[in-house]
Amino acid sequence: KGPVESSTVVGHRMVFSAAGKSIFALDRSSGKRVWNFKAKGNVLASGALGGGAFFIGTDDSNFYALEQNTGKLLWKFKAGEFTGGAT
């Protein structure tokens, strides 16, 4: 929870990264939460979409790939340094 730093809109869903550890998708029509993923670090940057995944980095150097429709973790890796800023 916290102020939303950035967002990406995808079809019928809007995907937000919050200024906290929560990454979530809201239904574009209703505004209801579709999924929520808890990252290990704070999300301070915009994510990117591609190939059915939402990619985003966190301030503890982890970089995540989440399935864009469900929020399920596809993979993550330790980037070796802070992954803030534009993804």
Side-chain angles (χ1 to χ4, degrees):
K1 294 184 180 185
V4 173
E5 295 286 334
S6 61
S7 64
T8 302
V9 178
V10 185
H12 299 295
R13 295 205 168 99
M14 189 177 304
V15 180
F16 290 94
S17 56
K21 297 178 181 179
S22 183
I23 302 165
F24 54 92
L26 301 176
D27 182 272
R28 187 173 171 166
S29 300
S30 68
K32 291 183 180 180
R33 192 172 295 220
V34 177
W35 57 259
N36 185 71
F37 178 84
K38 193 71 153 183
K40 292 198 182 266
N42 289 314
V43 179
L44 303 172
S46 299
L49 290 164
F54 182 64
F55 304 94
I56 196 147
T58 59
D59 70 356
D60 68 347
S61 305
N62 282 304
F63 193 78
Y64 296 89
L66 307 175
E67 205 286 324
Q68 74 181 36
N69 293 320
T70 65
K72 178 183 174 189
L73 179 64
L74 298 172
W75 52 259
K76 76 172 184 171
F77 74 91
K78 193 80 163 171
E81 61 184 66
F82 176 65
T83 56
T87 301

